[in-house]
Coordinates of all heavy atoms in Angstrom, one line a residue:
V54 N 12.3 -14.7 1.1 CA 13.0 -13.4 1.3 C 13.1 -12.7 -0.1 O 13.2 -11.5 -0.1 CB 14.4 -13.6 1.9 CG1 15.3 -14.3 0.9 CG2 15.0 -12.3 2.4
S55 N 13.1 -13.4 -1.2 CA 13.2 -12.8 -2.5 C 11.9 -12.3 -3.0 O 11.9 -11.5 -3.9 CB 13.8 -13.9 -3.5 OG 12.9 -14.9 -3.7
V56 N 10.8 -12.7 -2.4 CA 9.5 -12.2 -2.8 C 8.7 -11.6 -1.7 O 7.5 -11.3 -1.9 CB 8.6 -13.4 -3.4 CG1 9.3 -13.9 -4.7 CG2 8.5 -14.5 -2.5
G57 N 9.4 -11.4 -0.6 CA 8.7 -10.8 0.6 C 8.2 -9.4 0.3 O 7.1 -9.0 0.8
G58 N 9.0 -8.6 -0.4 CA 8.6 -7.2 -0.6 C 7.2 -7.1 -1.4 O 6.3 -6.5 -0.9
P59 N 7.1 -7.7 -2.6 CA 5.8 -7.5 -3.2 C 4.6 -8.2 -2.5 O 3.5 -7.6 -2.5 CB 6.1 -8.2 -4.6 CG 7.3 -9.1 -4.4 CD 8.1 -8.4 -3.4
I60 N 4.8 -9.3 -1.8 CA 3.7 -9.9 -1.1 C 3.3 -9.1 0.0 O 2.1 -8.9 0.3 CB 4.1 -11.4 -0.6 CG1 4.3 -12.3 -1.8 CG2 3.1 -11.9 0.3 CD1 4.8 -13.7 -1.5
L61 N 4.2 -8.6 0.8 CA 3.9 -7.7 2.0 C 3.3 -6.4 1.5 O 2.3 -5.9 2.1 CB 5.1 -7.5 2.8 CG 5.5 -8.6 3.8 CD1 6.9 -8.3 4.3 CD2 4.5 -8.6 4.9
A62 N 3.8 -5.8 0.4 CA 3.3 -4.6 -0.1 C 1.8 -4.7 -0.5 O 1.0 -3.9 -0.1 CB 4.1 -4.1 -1.3
V63 N 1.5 -5.8 -1.2 CA 0.1 -6.0 -1.6 C -0.8 -6.3 -0.4 O -1.9 -5.8 -0.3 CB 0.1 -7.2 -2.5 CG1 -1.4 -7.7 -2.8 CG2 0.7 -6.9 -3.9
G64 N -0.3 -7.0 0.6 CA -1.1 -7.3 1.8 C -1.3 -6.0 2.6 O -2.5 -5.7 3.1
L65 N -0.3 -5.2 2.8 CA -0.5 -3.9 3.5 C -1.5 -3.0 2.7 O -2.4 -2.3 3.3 CB 0.8 -3.1 3.6 CG 2.0 -3.8 4.4 CD1 3.2 -3.0 4.4 CD2 1.5 -4.0 5.9
M66 N -1.4 -2.9 1.4 CA -2.3 -2.1 0.6 C -3.7 -2.6 0.8 O -4.6 -1.8 0.9 CB -1.8 -2.1 -0.8 CG -2.7 -1.2 -1.7 SD -2.0 -1.1 -3.4 CE -1.9 -2.8 -3.9
G67 N -3.9 -3.9 0.6 CA -5.2 -4.4 0.6 C -5.9 -4.2 2.0 O -7.1 -3.7 2.0
A68 N -5.2 -4.4 3.1 CA -5.8 -4.2 4.4 C -5.9 -2.8 4.7 O -7.1 -2.3 5.1 CB -4.9 -4.9 5.4
G69 N -4.9 -1.9 4.5 CA -5.0 -0.6 4.9 C -6.0 0.3 4.1 O -6.8 1.0 4.6
M70 N -5.9 0.2 2.8 CA -6.7 1.0 1.9 C -8.2 0.7 2.0 O -9.1 1.5 2.1 CB -6.2 1.0 0.5 CG -6.8 2.1 -0.4 SD -6.2 1.9 -2.1 CE -4.5 2.0 -1.9
I71 N -8.5 -0.6 1.9 CA -9.9 -1.1 1.8 C -10.5 -0.9 3.2 O -11.6 -0.4 3.4 CB -10.0 -2.5 1.4 CG1 -9.4 -2.7 0.0 CG2 -11.4 -3.0 1.5 CD1 -9.4 -4.1 -0.5
A72 N -9.7 -1.1 4.3 CA -10.3 -1.0 5.7 C -10.6 0.5 6.0 O -11.7 0.8 6.5 CB -9.3 -1.5 6.7
A73 N -9.7 1.4 5.6 CA -9.9 2.8 5.9 C -11.1 3.3 5.1 O -11.9 4.1 5.6 CB -8.7 3.6 5.6
A74 N -11.3 2.9 3.8 CA -12.3 3.3 3.0 C -13.7 2.7 3.5 O -14.7 3.4 3.4 CB -12.1 2.9 1.5
A75 N -13.6 1.5 3.9 CA -14.9 0.8 4.3 C -15.4 1.4 5.7 O -16.6 1.6 5.9 CB -14.7 -0.7 4.4
A76 N -14.4 1.6 6.6 CA -14.8 2.0 7.9 C -14.9 3.5 8.0 O -15.6 4.1 8.9 CB -13.7 1.6 8.9
G77 N -14.3 4.2 7.1 CA -14.3 5.7 7.1 C -13.5 6.2 8.3 O -13.6 7.4 8.7
R78 N -12.5 5.5 8.7 CA -11.6 5.9 9.8 C -10.2 5.5 9.4 O -9.8 4.4 9.2 CB -12.0 5.1 11.1 CG -13.3 5.6 11.7 CD -13.8 4.8 12.8 NE -15.0 5.3 13.5 CZ -16.2 5.3 13.0 NH1 -16.5 4.7 11.9 NH2 -17.2 5.9 13.7
L79 N -9.3 6.6 9.4 CA -7.9 6.4 9.1 C -7.3 5.4 10.0 O -6.5 4.5 9.6 CB -7.2 7.7 9.2 CG -5.7 7.7 9.0 CD1 -5.4 7.4 7.5 CD2 -5.1 9.1 9.4
W80 N -7.5 5.5 11.3 CA -6.7 4.7 12.3 C -7.1 3.2 12.1 O -6.2 2.3 12.4 CB -7.0 5.1 13.7 CG -8.4 4.8 14.2 CD1 -9.5 5.7 14.2 CD2 -8.9 3.6 14.9 NE1 -10.6 5.2 14.7 CE2 -10.3 3.9 15.1 CE3 -8.3 2.4 15.2 CZ2 -11.0 2.9 15.7 CZ3 -9.1 1.5 15.8 CH2 -10.4 1.7 16.1
V81 N -8.3 2.9 11.7 CA -8.7 1.5 11.4 C -7.8 0.9 10.3 O -7.3 -0.2 10.4 CB -10.2 1.3 11.1 CG1 -10.5 -0.1 10.7 CG2 -11.0 1.7 12.3
G82 N -7.6 1.7 9.2 CA -6.8 1.2 8.1 C -5.4 1.0 8.5 O -4.7 0.0 8.2
V83 N -4.8 2.0 9.3 CA -3.4 1.9 9.7 C -3.3 0.6 10.6 O -2.3 -0.2 10.5 CB -3.0 3.2 10.5 CG1 -1.6 3.0 11.1 CG2 -3.0 4.3 9.5
L84 N -4.1 0.5 11.6 CA -4.0 -0.6 12.6 C -4.1 -2.0 11.8 O -3.2 -2.9 12.1 CB -5.1 -0.5 13.6 CG -5.1 -1.7 14.7 CD1 -3.9 -1.7 15.5 CD2 -6.4 -1.5 15.6
L85 N -5.1 -2.2 11.0 CA -5.2 -3.5 10.3 C -4.1 -3.7 9.4 O -3.7 -4.9 9.2 CB -6.6 -3.5 9.6 CG -7.8 -3.6 10.5 CD1 -9.1 -3.8 9.6 CD2 -7.7 -4.8 11.4
S86 N -3.6 -2.7 8.7 CA -2.5 -2.8 7.8 C -1.2 -3.3 8.6 O -0.5 -4.2 8.2 CB -2.2 -1.6 7.1 OG -1.2 -1.7 6.2
V87 N -0.9 -2.6 9.7 CA 0.2 -3.0 10.5 C 0.1 -4.4 11.1 O 1.1 -5.2 11.0 CB 0.4 -2.0 11.7 CG1 1.5 -2.5 12.7 CG2 0.9 -0.6 11.1
L88 N -1.1 -4.8 11.5 CA -1.3 -6.1 12.0 C -1.2 -7.2 10.9 O -0.6 -8.2 11.1 CB -2.7 -6.2 12.7 CG -2.9 -5.5 14.0 CD1 -4.3 -5.6 14.5 CD2 -1.9 -6.0 15.1
T89 N -1.7 -6.8 9.7 CA -1.5 -7.7 8.6 C 0.0 -7.9 8.3 O 0.4 -9.0 8.0 CB -2.3 -7.2 7.4 OG1 -3.6 -7.1 7.7 CG2 -2.0 -8.0 6.2
G90 N 0.7 -6.8 8.2 CA 2.1 -6.9 7.9 C 2.9 -7.8 9.0 O 3.7 -8.7 8.6
A91 N 2.6 -7.6 10.3 CA 3.2 -8.3 11.3 C 2.9 -9.8 11.2 O 3.7 -10.7 11.3 CB 2.8 -7.8 12.7
G92 N 1.6 -10.1 10.9 CA 1.2 -11.5 10.7 C 1.9 -12.2 9.6 O 2.2 -13.4 9.7
L93 N 2.0 -11.5 8.5 CA 2.6 -12.1 7.3 C 4.1 -12.3 7.5 O 4.7 -13.3 7.1 CB 2.4 -11.2 6.0 CG 0.9 -11.1 5.5 CD1 0.9 -10.1 4.4 CD2 0.5 -12.5 5.0
I94 N 4.7 -11.4 8.2 CA 6.2 -11.6 8.6 C 6.3 -12.8 9.5 O 7.3 -13.6 9.2 CB 6.7 -10.3 9.2 CG1 6.8 -9.2 8.2 CG2 8.1 -10.6 9.8 CD1 7.2 -7.9 8.8
V95 N 5.5 -13.0 10.4 CA 5.5 -14.1 11.3 C 5.4 -15.4 10.6 O 6.1 -16.4 10.8 CB 4.5 -14.0 12.4 CG1 4.4 -15.3 13.2 CG2 4.8 -12.9 13.4
L96 N 4.4 -15.4 9.6 CA 4.2 -16.6 8.8 C 5.4 -16.9 8.0 O 5.8 -18.1 7.8 CB 2.9 -16.4 7.9 CG 2.6 -17.5 6.9 CD1 2.4 -18.8 7.6 CD2 1.4 -17.1 6.0
A97 N 5.9 -15.9 7.3 CA 7.1 -16.1 6.5 C 8.3 -16.7 7.3 O 9.0 -17.5 6.8 CB 7.5 -14.8 5.8
R98 N 8.4 -16.2 8.5 CA 9.5 -16.7 9.4 C 9.3 -18.2 9.7 O 10.1 -19.0 9.7 CB 9.6 -15.9 10.7 CG 10.1 -14.5 10.5 CD 11.6 -14.4 10.4 NE 12.3 -14.7 11.6 CZ 13.2 -15.7 11.8 NH1 13.7 -16.3 10.7 NH2 13.7 -15.9 12.9
A99 N 8.0 -18.5 10.0 CA 7.6 -19.9 10.3 C 7.9 -20.8 9.1 O 8.1 -22.0 9.3 CB 6.2 -19.9 10.7

Side-chain angles (χ1 to χ4, degrees):
V54 70
S55 67
V56 293
I60 292 177
L61 279 167
V63 169
L65 296 176
M66 179 175 56
M70 194 183 301
I71 299 173
R78 289 169 171 79
L79 175 70
W80 69 266
V81 172
V83 174
L84 178 61
L85 288 185
S86 183
V87 169
L88 290 177
T89 294
L93 291 174
I94 290 171
V95 169
L96 175 61
R98 292 279 292 129

